[in-house]
Amino acid sequence: MNKRIAVLIPAAMLLALAFAVPAQAGARYPYTLTDVGTLGGPQSFINLPGFPITRQGAVLGTADTKVADSDYPNFNPFIVGVADPHTAHAFKWQDGKLTDLGALPGNNSSAVFQINGSGVGAGMSETGALDPNTGYPAENAVLFKNGSVINLGTLPGGHESQATAINDRGQVAGFGDNGVRDPVSIFGPVNGPGDPGWVTQTRSFIWQNGKMRDLGTLGGPDALMTVLNARGQIAGDSYTNATPNPANGGVPTTHPFLWQDGHMRDLGTLGGTRSGTTWLNDRGEVVGQDNLAGDQASHPFLWDGQHLRDLGTLGGDFGAANYVNDAGDVTGWTTVPGDSTAHAFLWKHGVMTDLTGAGSSQCTITEAINDRDQVVGHTCDEQDALLWTGGKQYELDSLVAPSGIRLTAADFINDRGQIVAVGTLPNGHQYLFLLNPTNTAPGAAASSVSRQSGEHHFTNLTSTPSKRFLPRG
C-alpha cells in the first residue's frame, strides 16, 4: 500500500531551493540526504509491505509520471492509495540513476515491493480492465525482469492479484481474489462509504516454475500472506471459520499461519479470536499481534519455531510486534500504564525495553530493525521520522543538513545503516529519500565492525497502527 498525500503545485523550484546546501555542510551531519526523484510527476511513494531498500542500497518505490491517469478519479487503493490524476510507475533508484520499471501495456499504474539477488522484481500493475466486483481498475501480480513486465495472472476466477515478495530461489508470493462470493472477505471497504471492498474470498498464493498455487486456509474462506523468506516459508493469517465474532467487529476467528512445502501450520493464539502477522525472518520466526481471551486486549507475539510466545507489554493492554531480525530480536509498540499512548519497544533475550522512555508522553511506532538492532519508525501522527540506536532516540531531521524537507516516517533500514524515509516538501508533496550514514552517524562504530564481519542478506517483506495492509475491521 502506498503512502499518499494530495497534489498541490509543481515542486521543481522548491526542490532546487531545498537541496541548495553546500556539500561541505552536509559532511558535518551524521547522514547525507538524497532525493530519489520522480518519473516526471509531482510525487514519489513507498510500497508496503516490502523491502524498499536492498542490501546494495537500491531504493524501490512508485513515482508519478507526466501522463494523466484516464481512470481518474477512480483508483485502485492497493496501488495509489487515493485518487491521483497521474499514472504512477514502479521504479528502482541506485547510484543516482532512477529507472522506470514500467507497467502492463496501456494507461496503467504499477508498484514494486521487492527485488531479489538476480534483479527480478515482484509487484503489481493495473491491467486496463475494471474489476466487476469492486469497480476498481483491476490489477495483476507481475514480475519486472530485464526491462519487461510479465503478467502472472490471477487465481482461477479472480480479477485482482498482487505479488508482494520474491526470494533468490525465484519463488514469488502474494495474494488475490478467487471470484467466490464471501460476505466476510478480509478486504472489506477500504475507500470509504459506498465502497463494497472485496466481496470475494481473499487467498494467498505461491508462484514458482510458471504456476500460481493457492496456499489454502486453516478452515475458513480467507487467508492473507504477509511475508516470504529465503527458505520458501510464508507467514500470514487465515480465517478458521466463516462465523463473524460480534466481540471482534464481526471478523471471523483468525489465526497466524506458517506455510512450507505445501502445508499450512496453525500457530495458535494467545486466547483471542483475531491475529495480525507482520514479519517472518529467515530462521522461520514469526511476529505479530494477537488478541487475548475475551478480545478486549491484544499483545505482541513471537513464534519461535516451537511455541507462540506472548511478549507482554510496557504495562498497557495493547501492543504489536512489527519486525523480527535474523538474530531473533523483535521491535514493535505497546501502550503504557493508564494511557492509550503507544511506545516503541525492542525485545531481546526476553527483556522488553521502552525505546522512547517510560516518562515520555510521545507516541511512537517502529517499522523495521536491522541486524545491528538499529530501529526506525515514526511518531504516531507521522510527523517525525525516528531512529533508535545505542539506547537513544533521534529525530532524523536533526541528523541531516537543513533542507526544507520534513522527514515524516522512516520505513526501513538495511544492515549498512541506510534508511529509506518519506519526506514532505513545504508545498505538501511527498517524496522518498535515502539517508546514508557518515562516520559520525550514531552507531557508526558498530556499523564498521558489522561490515568487517559480514552482512546478512535480506530476502524478503498487518499491524495496527503500522502501515501495511488494510484488512477488514
Side-chain angles (χ1 to χ4, degrees), residues 393-414:
Q393 176 178 300
Y394 301 87
E395 291 185 7
L396 288 184
D397 279 331
S398 70
L399 301 180
V400 299
S403 64
I405 303 300
R406 179 159 189 170
L407 299 174
T408 58
D411 289 297
F412 211 83
I413 183 168
N414 65 12

Side-chain angles (χ1 to χ4, degrees), residues 30 53 77 120 134 150 276 382 387 416 426:
I53 185 170
V120 180
T134 65
I150 303 168
E382 293 194 43
L387 165 70
R416 295 180 177 182

